[in-house]
Structure formats: structure tokens, C-alpha cells
Amino acid sequence: MKNPEQTLGKFIDRQSTAFIGSLDDDGFPNIKAMLAPRQREGLRVFYFTTNASSLRVRQYRHNPQACVYFCDRRFFRGVMFRGRMGVLEDLESKSAIWREGDTLYYPLGLLDPDYCVLRFTAESGRFYSKFRSEDFALA
Amino acid sequence: MKNPEQTLGKFIDRQSTAFIGSLDDDGFPNIKAMLAPRQREGLRVFYFTTNASSLRVRQYRHNPQACVYFCDRRFFRGVMFRGRMGVLEDLESKSAIWREGDTLYYPLGLLDPDYCVLRFTAESGRFYSKFRSEDFALA
């Protein structure tokens, strides 16, 4: 892959769903579907909205080891990033990715104590396409 | 949920893709999309075909802690099973779920040394629907 940032950036931006991986208290991997990231900085940092009260948030507070996966089922391609997930609850981070309509999920709006931000920072990546996988460097 | 086996069984059988979670050498969660399970025994046991040479197989041989996740993106529902993944390479297991056309993936057929079976055995389950999650018992 010559230009991962361009090739995979486009691929990621077309997906409406992301899958996040976490570790539970017994050390088992867990998976959850999420709305696509609200914002990304290249292939390094992804921001998600979520419920502060959720099981996933509790898990990441306990252990930030994480992965984020995007998948195109039709063409059977997938990209996985391995890294760490941070839980952000400051107003600045929360307002940076807030969108109109989010009150559907967080009735009290930006100040809803159940609204928080997950910031994933990738350390490595792996791309699967045409029956083979390749690791790629993050710029 | 009154009858998980019926409700979730139908839900699972409609999905063309499953997502499997594993642990890598550094203890990070990993995710991969798979073809839907070839066979299932209730909500307890799921069988997948895969490449014996794959990274996932190596991970499960090292640590069988696993999860399997099914997701309906349209209705934003998901079910996750936590359990253990076994790698089977005996001919009986391999022929039990072999299908015509699998030579696309395993050119040497049933005896292809790169063809193997993943058998996932669930220990617990969690269902997400309508913005809330619930754990359910496995019959």
C-alpha cells in the first residue's frame, strides 16, 4: 500500500459504523459497534461519542488497551488499528464533536453527565484485502 | 428477553458477517470480520472456517479467550458472546462444515493444510437493543 493515509482514510470515511475492542474484568476481548467516529486526525486519532455510564467506558478507564476496526462487508476488506482509548469529560472535548440531534442520545445536551468522548490513539495498523493482510506504518 | 434462543437465533441467522475478538501477544484486543458461522448449536457453539496460517489462529492457540459479535447496523442491535475458541484440524471436524466452493479459499480442498475450523463455545451473552444492554443466560 503506497499511501495508507489516503487509501484508508477514504475507506474509513465511507463507513457508517466502527467496531471497538476492549478488555473486560476477566481479560476477555469485547466488541461493540459504534457510530462512525465524529472526527479523525489522519489515521492516528479517532473521536467517538458515547454514554459515560456504559460498560465500555468503565472497561477503558480500567484498561485503555483497545482496537478500532472498520469493515466493508461487500468487498470483504477490513482495517484494524491497535492503540489506547481515553475517556474525556471536559467541556471543550465534549463540545468539539457535539452535533445537533445528539439530544436523542443525551437529553440534557452538552452538559448531560451521561455524555462523554472516547479518544482513540492508534499505535499500529493492519489492513486486510483480497484474502491477505499487511501491517502498515502510521505516518 | 423471554426466549433468547429463539429471538437471538433468528437474529444471528440473518447476519452474513460475524466479528470475532481475540487477544494478541501484547494483550491487546483484536477484531476481525468473518463469514457467518457455518453451523451453530443453539447459542452455545459456533463453527467457522478459516486459514490455519492466519494470525487469529495463532492467537487462539496461544490464548483461547474470545468473543463473537453479531450486529444489525440498520436497527442498531448487537449481540456479543464471551467464551473460548478452539482450533480443530481433524478431518471429521473439517468435513462437517465443508461446502462446495470452499476451494476458492482452500484450493487443495478438505485436505488443504491451510484449512481449519474454529469452534467457539459461549459462556455468557449480552444483547444491545434500543439504547440499552442486557445480559442473558445461555440455556
Short mmCIF file of all heavy atoms in Angstrom, two decimals, chain A residues 17 19-24 26-35 55 65-67 69 71 73 76 80 82-84 105 123 126 128 131, chain B residues 17 19-24 26-35 55 65-67 69 71 73 76 80 82-84 105 126 128 131:
data_model
loop_
_atom_site.label_atom_id
_atom_site.label_comp_id
_atom_site.label_asym_id
_atom_site.label_seq_id
_atom_site.Cartn_x
_atom_site.Cartn_y
_atom_site.Cartn_z
N THR A 17 -20.29 2.70 10.44
CA THR A 17 -20.14 2.00 11.71
C THR A 17 -18.67 1.70 11.96
O THR A 17 -17.92 1.42 11.03
CB THR A 17 -20.88 0.64 11.68
OG1 THR A 17 -22.19 0.85 11.15
CG2 THR A 17 -20.99 0.03 13.06
N PHE A 19 -16.18 -0.57 14.85
CA PHE A 19 -16.23 -1.59 15.89
C PHE A 19 -15.06 -1.34 16.83
O PHE A 19 -13.93 -1.15 16.38
CB PHE A 19 -16.16 -2.99 15.28
CG PHE A 19 -17.32 -3.27 14.37
CD1 PHE A 19 -17.26 -2.92 13.02
CD2 PHE A 19 -18.48 -3.83 14.86
CE1 PHE A 19 -18.36 -3.14 12.19
CE2 PHE A 19 -19.57 -4.05 14.03
CZ PHE A 19 -19.51 -3.70 12.69
N ILE A 20 -15.37 -1.30 18.13
CA ILE A 20 -14.29 -1.07 19.08
C ILE A 20 -14.08 -2.31 19.94
O ILE A 20 -15.02 -3.00 20.31
CB ILE A 20 -14.54 0.19 19.95
CG1 ILE A 20 -15.82 0.05 20.79
CG2 ILE A 20 -14.62 1.44 19.08
CD1 ILE A 20 -16.00 1.17 21.81
N GLY A 21 -12.82 -2.56 20.23
CA GLY A 21 -12.46 -3.70 21.06
C GLY A 21 -11.94 -3.21 22.40
O GLY A 21 -11.25 -2.18 22.48
N SER A 22 -12.29 -3.94 23.45
CA SER A 22 -11.85 -3.59 24.81
C SER A 22 -11.57 -4.88 25.56
O SER A 22 -11.76 -5.98 25.04
CB SER A 22 -12.94 -2.78 25.52
OG SER A 22 -14.15 -3.53 25.56
N LEU A 23 -11.13 -4.73 26.80
CA LEU A 23 -10.88 -5.89 27.65
C LEU A 23 -11.81 -5.82 28.85
O LEU A 23 -11.94 -4.76 29.47
CB LEU A 23 -9.43 -5.88 28.14
CG LEU A 23 -8.38 -6.04 27.03
CD1 LEU A 23 -6.98 -5.78 27.59
CD2 LEU A 23 -8.45 -7.42 26.40
N ASP A 24 -12.44 -6.94 29.18
CA ASP A 24 -13.31 -6.90 30.36
C ASP A 24 -12.53 -7.30 31.62
O ASP A 24 -11.32 -7.55 31.56
CB ASP A 24 -14.58 -7.74 30.14
CG ASP A 24 -14.30 -9.23 30.00
OD1 ASP A 24 -13.27 -9.70 30.52
OD2 ASP A 24 -15.13 -9.92 29.38
N ASP A 26 -12.29 -9.86 33.31
CA ASP A 26 -11.67 -11.18 33.34
C ASP A 26 -10.63 -11.33 32.22
O ASP A 26 -10.13 -12.43 31.98
CB ASP A 26 -12.73 -12.26 33.20
CG ASP A 26 -13.79 -12.14 34.30
OD1 ASP A 26 -13.40 -12.02 35.46
OD2 ASP A 26 -14.99 -12.15 33.98
N GLY A 27 -10.35 -10.23 31.52
CA GLY A 27 -9.32 -10.28 30.47
C GLY A 27 -9.80 -10.83 29.15
O GLY A 27 -8.99 -11.14 28.28
N PHE A 28 -11.12 -10.92 28.96
CA PHE A 28 -11.64 -11.36 27.67
C PHE A 28 -11.78 -10.17 26.72
O PHE A 28 -12.12 -9.07 27.17
CB PHE A 28 -13.03 -12.00 27.84
CG PHE A 28 -13.01 -13.41 28.34
CD1 PHE A 28 -12.77 -13.68 29.68
CD2 PHE A 28 -13.23 -14.48 27.47
CE1 PHE A 28 -12.75 -15.00 30.15
CE2 PHE A 28 -13.21 -15.79 27.94
CZ PHE A 28 -12.97 -16.05 29.27
N PRO A 29 -11.57 -10.40 25.43
CA PRO A 29 -11.83 -9.34 24.46
C PRO A 29 -13.34 -9.10 24.35
O PRO A 29 -14.12 -10.04 24.44
CB PRO A 29 -11.26 -9.89 23.16
CG PRO A 29 -11.31 -11.38 23.31
CD PRO A 29 -11.11 -11.65 24.77
N ASN A 30 -13.72 -7.85 24.20
CA ASN A 30 -15.13 -7.47 23.99
C ASN A 30 -15.21 -6.65 22.70
O ASN A 30 -14.25 -5.96 22.35
CB ASN A 30 -15.63 -6.60 25.14
CG ASN A 30 -16.03 -7.39 26.39
OD1 ASN A 30 -16.85 -6.94 27.18
ND2 ASN A 30 -15.45 -8.55 26.59
N ILE A 31 -16.34 -6.73 22.02
CA ILE A 31 -16.56 -5.96 20.78
C ILE A 31 -17.87 -5.20 20.89
O ILE A 31 -18.84 -5.71 21.43
CB ILE A 31 -16.64 -6.89 19.55
CG1 ILE A 31 -15.33 -7.68 19.36
CG2 ILE A 31 -16.96 -6.10 18.28
CD1 ILE A 31 -15.40 -8.72 18.24
N LYS A 32 -17.88 -3.99 20.36
CA LYS A 32 -19.13 -3.23 20.29
C LYS A 32 -19.16 -2.38 19.02
O LYS A 32 -18.13 -1.80 18.65
CB LYS A 32 -19.26 -2.32 21.52
CG LYS A 32 -20.64 -1.70 21.66
CD LYS A 32 -20.77 -1.03 22.99
CE LYS A 32 -22.10 -0.32 23.20
NZ LYS A 32 -23.24 -0.73 22.42
N ALA A 33 -20.32 -2.32 18.38
CA ALA A 33 -20.48 -1.43 17.24
C ALA A 33 -20.72 -0.01 17.75
O ALA A 33 -21.39 0.19 18.76
CB ALA A 33 -21.67 -1.88 16.38
N MET A 34 -20.17 0.95 17.04
CA MET A 34 -20.32 2.36 17.40
C MET A 34 -20.74 3.14 16.17
O MET A 34 -20.48 2.72 15.04
CB MET A 34 -18.97 2.93 17.86
CG MET A 34 -18.36 2.26 19.05
SD MET A 34 -19.20 2.69 20.59
CE MET A 34 -18.53 4.33 20.90
N LEU A 35 -21.33 4.31 16.38
CA LEU A 35 -21.48 5.23 15.27
C LEU A 35 -20.08 5.58 14.77
O LEU A 35 -19.12 5.58 15.55
CB LEU A 35 -22.20 6.50 15.73
CG LEU A 35 -23.66 6.30 16.18
CD1 LEU A 35 -24.19 7.59 16.83
CD2 LEU A 35 -24.54 5.91 15.01
N LEU A 55 -20.74 0.28 29.85
CA LEU A 55 -19.79 -0.75 30.24
C LEU A 55 -18.43 -0.51 29.61
O LEU A 55 -17.38 -0.66 30.24
CB LEU A 55 -20.35 -2.11 29.80
CG LEU A 55 -19.55 -3.36 30.16
CD1 LEU A 55 -19.43 -3.49 31.67
CD2 LEU A 55 -20.20 -4.60 29.57
N GLN A 65 -6.14 -0.45 26.83
CA GLN A 65 -5.76 -1.23 25.64
C GLN A 65 -6.99 -1.46 24.78
O GLN A 65 -8.01 -1.96 25.27
CB GLN A 65 -5.12 -2.55 26.05
CG GLN A 65 -3.72 -2.37 26.62
CD GLN A 65 -3.11 -3.69 27.04
OE1 GLN A 65 -3.64 -4.36 27.92
NE2 GLN A 65 -2.02 -4.08 26.42
N ALA A 66 -6.87 -1.11 23.51
CA ALA A 66 -8.07 -1.07 22.65
C ALA A 66 -7.71 -1.36 21.21
O ALA A 66 -6.53 -1.35 20.82
CB ALA A 66 -8.71 0.31 22.74
N CYS A 67 -8.74 -1.61 20.42
CA CYS A 67 -8.57 -1.59 18.97
C CYS A 67 -9.82 -0.99 18.35
O CYS A 67 -10.87 -0.90 18.99
CB CYS A 67 -8.30 -2.99 18.40
SG CYS A 67 -9.68 -4.12 18.49
N TYR A 69 -11.88 -1.06 14.52
CA TYR A 69 -11.94 -1.85 13.30
C TYR A 69 -13.01 -1.28 12.38
O TYR A 69 -14.11 -0.94 12.82
CB TYR A 69 -12.30 -3.30 13.69
CG TYR A 69 -12.33 -4.30 12.57
CD1 TYR A 69 -11.17 -4.75 11.98
CD2 TYR A 69 -13.54 -4.84 12.12
CE1 TYR A 69 -11.19 -5.70 10.97
CE2 TYR A 69 -13.57 -5.79 11.12
CZ TYR A 69 -12.39 -6.22 10.54
OH TYR A 69 -12.43 -7.16 9.55
N CYS A 71 -14.87 -2.09 8.50
CA CYS A 71 -15.04 -3.24 7.64
C CYS A 71 -16.03 -2.94 6.53
O CYS A 71 -17.07 -2.32 6.75
CB CYS A 71 -15.57 -4.37 8.53
SG CYS A 71 -16.22 -5.75 7.66
N ARG A 73 -18.23 -4.97 4.23
CA ARG A 73 -18.66 -6.36 4.10
C ARG A 73 -18.77 -6.79 2.65
O ARG A 73 -18.57 -7.94 2.32
CB ARG A 73 -20.04 -6.54 4.74
CG ARG A 73 -20.08 -6.15 6.20
CD ARG A 73 -21.37 -6.65 6.82
NE ARG A 73 -21.67 -5.96 8.06
CZ ARG A 73 -22.53 -6.41 8.95
NH1 ARG A 73 -23.19 -7.53 8.73
NH2 ARG A 73 -22.76 -5.75 10.06
N PHE A 76 -15.31 -7.32 1.40
CA PHE A 76 -14.52 -8.09 2.35
C PHE A 76 -13.14 -7.50 2.60
O PHE A 76 -12.11 -8.17 2.49
CB PHE A 76 -14.43 -9.56 1.93
CG PHE A 76 -14.79 -10.47 3.06
CD1 PHE A 76 -16.10 -10.57 3.49
CD2 PHE A 76 -13.82 -11.18 3.75
CE1 PHE A 76 -16.44 -11.37 4.57
CE2 PHE A 76 -14.15 -11.98 4.83
CZ PHE A 76 -15.47 -12.06 5.24
N MET A 80 -7.75 -2.68 10.87
CA MET A 80 -7.76 -2.65 12.33
C MET A 80 -6.61 -1.80 12.85
O MET A 80 -5.48 -1.92 12.37
CB MET A 80 -7.64 -4.05 12.90
CG MET A 80 -7.95 -4.09 14.40
SD MET A 80 -7.53 -5.67 15.17
CE MET A 80 -5.80 -5.39 15.53
N ARG A 82 -4.60 -0.73 16.37
CA ARG A 82 -4.36 -1.12 17.76
C ARG A 82 -3.85 0.10 18.49
O ARG A 82 -3.05 0.87 17.94
CB ARG A 82 -3.28 -2.19 17.77
CG ARG A 82 -3.44 -3.21 18.83
CD ARG A 82 -2.26 -4.12 18.82
NE ARG A 82 -1.11 -3.49 19.45
CZ ARG A 82 -0.07 -4.18 19.91
NH1 ARG A 82 -0.02 -5.48 19.76
NH2 ARG A 82 0.94 -3.56 20.49
N GLY A 83 -4.33 0.34 19.71
CA GLY A 83 -3.86 1.51 20.42
C GLY A 83 -4.52 1.64 21.77
O GLY A 83 -4.87 0.64 22.40
N ARG A 84 -4.68 2.89 22.19
CA ARG A 84 -5.23 3.14 23.51
C ARG A 84 -6.44 4.08 23.46
O ARG A 84 -6.48 4.99 22.65
CB ARG A 84 -4.15 3.74 24.42
CG ARG A 84 -3.19 2.68 24.91
CD ARG A 84 -1.88 3.21 25.43
NE ARG A 84 -0.82 2.25 25.16
CZ ARG A 84 -0.60 1.15 25.88
NH1 ARG A 84 -1.32 0.91 26.96
NH2 ARG A 84 0.36 0.30 25.56
N TYR A 105 -29.70 11.06 22.12
CA TYR A 105 -28.96 10.14 22.99
C TYR A 105 -28.68 10.73 24.37
O TYR A 105 -28.59 10.02 25.36
CB TYR A 105 -27.62 9.77 22.34
CG TYR A 105 -27.73 9.33 20.91
CD1 TYR A 105 -27.38 10.18 19.87
CD2 TYR A 105 -28.21 8.06 20.60
CE1 TYR A 105 -27.48 9.77 18.54
CE2 TYR A 105 -28.32 7.64 19.29
CZ TYR A 105 -27.96 8.50 18.25
OH TYR A 105 -28.07 8.10 16.95
N GLU A 123 -1.56 3.02 17.50
CA GLU A 123 -0.12 2.78 17.55
C GLU A 123 0.34 1.95 16.35
O GLU A 123 1.50 2.03 15.95
CB GLU A 123 0.24 2.09 18.86
CG GLU A 123 0.09 3.01 20.07
CD GLU A 123 0.00 2.27 21.41
OE1 GLU A 123 0.31 1.07 21.46
OE2 GLU A 123 -0.40 2.92 22.40
N ARG A 126 -3.34 -2.61 10.60
CA ARG A 126 -3.28 -3.82 9.78
C ARG A 126 -4.47 -3.79 8.83
O ARG A 126 -5.60 -3.55 9.23
CB ARG A 126 -3.35 -5.03 10.71
CG ARG A 126 -2.99 -6.35 10.05
CD ARG A 126 -2.88 -7.44 11.13
NE ARG A 126 -2.86 -8.76 10.55
CZ ARG A 126 -1.77 -9.38 10.10
NH1 ARG A 126 -0.61 -8.80 10.20
NH2 ARG A 126 -1.84 -10.58 9.55
N TYR A 128 -6.67 -5.70 5.76
CA TYR A 128 -6.99 -6.98 5.13
C TYR A 128 -7.75 -6.71 3.83
O TYR A 128 -8.76 -6.01 3.83
CB TYR A 128 -7.86 -7.82 6.07
CG TYR A 128 -8.29 -9.13 5.48
CD1 TYR A 128 -7.50 -10.27 5.62
CD2 TYR A 128 -9.48 -9.24 4.76
CE1 TYR A 128 -7.89 -11.48 5.07
CE2 TYR A 128 -9.87 -10.44 4.20
CZ TYR A 128 -9.07 -11.56 4.36
OH TYR A 128 -9.46 -12.76 3.81
N PHE A 131 -7.99 -11.40 0.51
CA PHE A 131 -7.53 -12.63 1.19
C PHE A 131 -6.15 -12.52 1.82
O PHE A 131 -5.55 -13.53 2.17
CB PHE A 131 -7.54 -13.85 0.25
CG PHE A 131 -8.88 -14.12 -0.37
CD1 PHE A 131 -8.98 -14.72 -1.62
CD2 PHE A 131 -10.06 -13.81 0.30
CE1 PHE A 131 -10.21 -14.99 -2.19
CE2 PHE A 131 -11.29 -14.08 -0.26
CZ PHE A 131 -11.36 -14.66 -1.51
N THR B 17 -22.24 -11.73 8.29
CA THR B 17 -20.90 -11.50 8.83
C THR B 17 -20.92 -11.67 10.35
O THR B 17 -21.89 -11.31 11.00
CB THR B 17 -20.44 -10.05 8.53
OG1 THR B 17 -20.69 -9.76 7.16
CG2 THR B 17 -18.96 -9.86 8.82
N PHE B 19 -18.20 -11.03 13.80
CA PHE B 19 -16.95 -10.39 14.20
C PHE B 19 -16.39 -11.19 15.37
O PHE B 19 -17.12 -11.49 16.31
CB PHE B 19 -17.19 -8.93 14.59
CG PHE B 19 -17.73 -8.12 13.45
CD1 PHE B 19 -19.10 -8.04 13.21
CD2 PHE B 19 -16.87 -7.48 12.58
CE1 PHE B 19 -19.60 -7.33 12.13
CE2 PHE B 19 -17.36 -6.77 11.48
CZ PHE B 19 -18.73 -6.69 11.26
N ILE B 20 -15.11 -11.52 15.26
CA ILE B 20 -14.51 -12.30 16.34
C ILE B 20 -13.45 -11.47 17.04
O ILE B 20 -12.72 -10.70 16.42
CB ILE B 20 -13.94 -13.65 15.86
CG1 ILE B 20 -12.84 -13.46 14.81
CG2 ILE B 20 -15.05 -14.52 15.27
CD1 ILE B 20 -12.10 -14.75 14.46
N GLY B 21 -13.39 -11.62 18.35
CA GLY B 21 -12.42 -10.91 19.16
C GLY B 21 -11.39 -11.88 19.70
O GLY B 21 -11.73 -13.02 20.05
N SER B 22 -10.14 -11.43 19.73
CA SER B 22 -9.05 -12.27 20.24
C SER B 22 -8.08 -11.37 21.00
O SER B 22 -8.27 -10.16 21.08
CB SER B 22 -8.34 -12.96 19.08
OG SER B 22 -7.85 -11.99 18.16
N LEU B 23 -7.05 -11.99 21.56
CA LEU B 23 -6.01 -11.23 22.26
C LEU B 23 -4.69 -11.44 21.55
O LEU B 23 -4.34 -12.56 21.20
CB LEU B 23 -5.89 -11.73 23.70
CG LEU B 23 -7.13 -11.53 24.57
CD1 LEU B 23 -6.98 -12.27 25.90
CD2 LEU B 23 -7.37 -10.04 24.83
N ASP B 24 -3.96 -10.35 21.32
CA ASP B 24 -2.66 -10.52 20.68
C ASP B 24 -1.57 -10.71 21.73
O ASP B 24 -1.84 -10.75 22.94
CB ASP B 24 -2.38 -9.37 19.70
CG ASP B 24 -2.21 -8.02 20.38
OD1 ASP B 24 -1.83 -7.97 21.58
OD2 ASP B 24 -2.43 -6.99 19.71
N ASP B 26 0.61 -8.93 22.96
CA ASP B 26 0.81 -7.87 23.95
C ASP B 26 -0.44 -7.65 24.81
O ASP B 26 -0.52 -6.68 25.56
CB ASP B 26 1.20 -6.56 23.25
CG ASP B 26 2.43 -6.74 22.39
OD1 ASP B 26 3.42 -7.31 22.89
OD2 ASP B 26 2.41 -6.34 21.20
N GLY B 27 -1.43 -8.51 24.66
CA GLY B 27 -2.63 -8.42 25.47
C GLY B 27 -3.64 -7.38 24.98
O GLY B 27 -4.57 -7.03 25.71
N PHE B 28 -3.50 -6.93 23.74
CA PHE B 28 -4.49 -6.00 23.19
C PHE B 28 -5.64 -6.79 22.56
O PHE B 28 -5.41 -7.86 21.98
CB PHE B 28 -3.85 -5.13 22.09
CG PHE B 28 -3.04 -3.99 22.61
CD1 PHE B 28 -1.76 -4.19 23.11
CD2 PHE B 28 -3.54 -2.69 22.59
CE1 PHE B 28 -1.00 -3.13 23.59
CE2 PHE B 28 -2.79 -1.63 23.06
CZ PHE B 28 -1.51 -1.84 23.56
N PRO B 29 -6.85 -6.24 22.64
CA PRO B 29 -7.96 -6.89 21.93
C PRO B 29 -7.79 -6.70 20.42
O PRO B 29 -7.30 -5.65 19.98
CB PRO B 29 -9.19 -6.13 22.44
CG PRO B 29 -8.68 -4.78 22.85
CD PRO B 29 -7.27 -5.01 23.34
N ASN B 30 -8.14 -7.70 19.66
CA ASN B 30 -8.13 -7.64 18.19
C ASN B 30 -9.53 -7.99 17.67
O ASN B 30 -10.25 -8.76 18.32
CB ASN B 30 -7.14 -8.66 17.62
CG ASN B 30 -5.68 -8.21 17.66
OD1 ASN B 30 -4.87 -8.66 16.87
ND2 ASN B 30 -5.33 -7.36 18.60
N ILE B 31 -9.88 -7.46 16.52
CA ILE B 31 -11.19 -7.74 15.91
C ILE B 31 -10.99 -8.17 14.46
O ILE B 31 -10.13 -7.61 13.77
CB ILE B 31 -12.11 -6.49 15.93
CG1 ILE B 31 -12.38 -6.04 17.36
CG2 ILE B 31 -13.43 -6.77 15.20
CD1 ILE B 31 -13.17 -4.72 17.45
N LYS B 32 -11.79 -9.11 14.02
CA LYS B 32 -11.76 -9.48 12.60
C LYS B 32 -13.15 -9.89 12.14
O LYS B 32 -13.87 -10.56 12.87
CB LYS B 32 -10.79 -10.64 12.39
CG LYS B 32 -10.52 -10.96 10.93
CD LYS B 32 -9.38 -11.93 10.80
CE LYS B 32 -9.04 -12.31 9.37
NZ LYS B 32 -9.49 -11.45 8.31
N ALA B 33 -13.50 -9.47 10.93
CA ALA B 33 -14.76 -9.90 10.34
C ALA B 33 -14.58 -11.30 9.77
O ALA B 33 -13.53 -11.62 9.22
CB ALA B 33 -15.18 -8.94 9.24
N MET B 34 -15.60 -12.10 9.89
CA MET B 34 -15.57 -13.48 9.39
C MET B 34 -16.84 -13.73 8.58
O MET B 34 -17.86 -13.08 8.79
CB MET B 34 -15.58 -14.46 10.57
CG MET B 34 -14.43 -14.36 11.51
SD MET B 34 -12.91 -15.01 10.80
CE MET B 34 -13.18 -16.79 11.01
N LEU B 35 -16.79 -14.72 7.70
CA LEU B 35 -18.04 -15.20 7.12
C LEU B 35 -18.90 -15.72 8.27
O LEU B 35 -18.38 -16.18 9.29
CB LEU B 35 -17.75 -16.34 6.13
CG LEU B 35 -16.95 -15.94 4.89
CD1 LEU B 35 -16.53 -17.18 4.10
CD2 LEU B 35 -17.76 -15.00 4.00
N LEU B 55 -3.24 -15.17 11.45
CA LEU B 55 -2.83 -14.57 12.72
C LEU B 55 -3.80 -14.95 13.84
O LEU B 55 -3.40 -15.24 14.97
CB LEU B 55 -2.80 -13.04 12.54
CG LEU B 55 -2.33 -12.22 13.72
CD1 LEU B 55 -0.91 -12.57 14.08
CD2 LEU B 55 -2.43 -10.72 13.40
N GLN B 65 -9.19 -17.19 24.99
CA GLN B 65 -10.21 -16.21 25.41
C GLN B 65 -10.69 -15.43 24.19
O GLN B 65 -9.89 -14.86 23.45
CB GLN B 65 -9.63 -15.27 26.46
CG GLN B 65 -9.47 -15.94 27.82
CD GLN B 65 -8.89 -14.99 28.85
OE1 GLN B 65 -7.79 -14.48 28.68
NE2 GLN B 65 -9.62 -14.74 29.92
N ALA B 66 -12.00 -15.40 24.01
CA ALA B 66 -12.55 -14.89 22.75
C ALA B 66 -13.93 -14.28 22.96
O ALA B 66 -14.56 -14.45 24.01
CB ALA B 66 -12.66 -16.03 21.74
N CYS B 67 -14.37 -13.56 21.94
CA CYS B 67 -15.79 -13.18 21.88
C CYS B 67 -16.24 -13.26 20.43
O CYS B 67 -15.42 -13.24 19.50
CB CYS B 67 -16.05 -11.80 22.48
SG CYS B 67 -15.38 -10.42 21.53
N TYR B 69 -19.35 -11.54 17.94
CA TYR B 69 -20.30 -10.42 17.94
C TYR B 69 -21.09 -10.41 16.63
O TYR B 69 -20.50 -10.60 15.55
CB TYR B 69 -19.50 -9.12 18.09
CG TYR B 69 -20.30 -7.86 18.19
CD1 TYR B 69 -21.02 -7.56 19.34
CD2 TYR B 69 -20.32 -6.94 17.14
CE1 TYR B 69 -21.74 -6.38 19.45
CE2 TYR B 69 -21.04 -5.76 17.24
CZ TYR B 69 -21.75 -5.48 18.40
OH TYR B 69 -22.45 -4.31 18.50
N CYS B 71 -24.10 -8.08 14.55
CA CYS B 71 -24.60 -6.70 14.61
C CYS B 71 -25.50 -6.42 13.43
O CYS B 71 -25.19 -6.76 12.29
CB CYS B 71 -23.37 -5.80 14.59
SG CYS B 71 -23.72 -4.09 14.27
N ARG B 73 -26.69 -3.33 11.61
CA ARG B 73 -26.38 -1.89 11.59
C ARG B 73 -27.63 -1.04 11.40
O ARG B 73 -27.70 0.08 11.86
CB ARG B 73 -25.42 -1.56 10.45
CG ARG B 73 -24.13 -2.35 10.50
CD ARG B 73 -23.13 -1.74 9.54
NE ARG B 73 -22.06 -2.68 9.23
CZ ARG B 73 -20.89 -2.33 8.69
NH1 ARG B 73 -20.67 -1.06 8.40
NH2 ARG B 73 -19.97 -3.21 8.44
N PHE B 76 -29.44 -1.01 14.66
CA PHE B 76 -28.52 -0.78 15.75
C PHE B 76 -28.74 -1.74 16.92
O PHE B 76 -28.91 -1.33 18.07
CB PHE B 76 -28.60 0.69 16.21
CG PHE B 76 -27.23 1.27 16.33
CD1 PHE B 76 -26.48 1.55 15.19
CD2 PHE B 76 -26.65 1.52 17.56
CE1 PHE B 76 -25.19 2.05 15.28
CE2 PHE B 76 -25.36 2.02 17.66
CZ PHE B 76 -24.63 2.28 16.53
N MET B 80 -23.33 -9.97 21.78
CA MET B 80 -21.96 -10.42 21.98
C MET B 80 -21.94 -11.65 22.88
O MET B 80 -22.62 -11.66 23.92
CB MET B 80 -21.11 -9.33 22.60
CG MET B 80 -19.62 -9.67 22.55
SD MET B 80 -18.60 -8.56 23.52
CE MET B 80 -18.71 -9.33 25.14
N ARG B 82 -19.32 -14.17 24.98
CA ARG B 82 -17.98 -14.30 25.52
C ARG B 82 -17.70 -15.76 25.74
O ARG B 82 -18.59 -16.50 26.18
CB ARG B 82 -17.95 -13.56 26.86
CG ARG B 82 -16.65 -12.94 27.19
CD ARG B 82 -16.72 -12.37 28.58
NE ARG B 82 -16.55 -13.42 29.57
CZ ARG B 82 -16.21 -13.19 30.84
NH1 ARG B 82 -16.04 -11.96 31.27
NH2 ARG B 82 -16.06 -14.18 31.68
N GLY B 83 -16.51 -16.21 25.42
CA GLY B 83 -16.22 -17.63 25.61
C GLY B 83 -14.84 -17.99 25.15
O GLY B 83 -13.92 -17.17 25.22
N ARG B 84 -14.71 -19.22 24.67
CA ARG B 84 -13.39 -19.72 24.28
C ARG B 84 -13.42 -20.28 22.86
O ARG B 84 -14.41 -20.86 22.44
CB ARG B 84 -12.94 -20.81 25.26
CG ARG B 84 -12.42 -20.22 26.54
CD ARG B 84 -12.38 -21.17 27.71
NE ARG B 84 -12.64 -20.45 28.94
CZ ARG B 84 -11.72 -19.75 29.62
NH1 ARG B 84 -10.49 -19.69 29.18
NH2 ARG B 84 -12.05 -19.10 30.72
N TYR B 105 -11.17 -20.63 -1.36
CA TYR B 105 -10.30 -20.21 -0.26
C TYR B 105 -9.21 -21.24 0.02
O TYR B 105 -8.12 -20.89 0.47
CB TYR B 105 -11.12 -20.01 1.03
CG TYR B 105 -12.34 -19.14 0.84
CD1 TYR B 105 -13.61 -19.70 0.77
CD2 TYR B 105 -12.20 -17.76 0.72
CE1 TYR B 105 -14.73 -18.91 0.59
CE2 TYR B 105 -13.32 -16.96 0.54
CZ TYR B 105 -14.58 -17.54 0.48
OH TYR B 105 -15.69 -16.76 0.30
N ARG B 126 -24.61 -11.02 25.90
CA ARG B 126 -25.09 -9.68 26.19
C ARG B 126 -25.73 -9.13 24.92
O ARG B 126 -25.15 -9.19 23.84
CB ARG B 126 -23.90 -8.81 26.62
CG ARG B 126 -24.29 -7.50 27.26
CD ARG B 126 -23.02 -6.83 27.86
NE ARG B 126 -23.26 -5.45 28.17
CZ ARG B 126 -23.76 -5.01 29.32
NH1 ARG B 126 -24.04 -5.86 30.28
NH2 ARG B 126 -23.96 -3.72 29.52
N TYR B 128 -27.66 -5.91 22.96
CA TYR B 128 -27.86 -4.46 22.95
C TYR B 128 -28.97 -4.13 21.96
O TYR B 128 -28.94 -4.56 20.80
CB TYR B 128 -26.57 -3.76 22.51
CG TYR B 128 -26.70 -2.27 22.41
CD1 TYR B 128 -26.48 -1.46 23.52
CD2 TYR B 128 -27.07 -1.66 21.22
CE1 TYR B 128 -26.61 -0.09 23.45
CE2 TYR B 128 -27.22 -0.28 21.13
CZ TYR B 128 -26.98 0.50 22.25
OH TYR B 128 -27.12 1.87 22.16
N PHE B 131 -30.92 1.26 22.65
CA PHE B 131 -30.09 2.06 23.55
C PHE B 131 -29.82 1.44 24.92
O PHE B 131 -29.36 2.12 25.83
CB PHE B 131 -30.69 3.47 23.78
CG PHE B 131 -30.90 4.23 22.52
CD1 PHE B 131 -31.92 5.17 22.42
CD2 PHE B 131 -30.09 4.05 21.41
CE1 PHE B 131 -32.13 5.89 21.25
CE2 PHE B 131 -30.28 4.76 20.24
CZ PHE B 131 -31.31 5.69 20.16
#
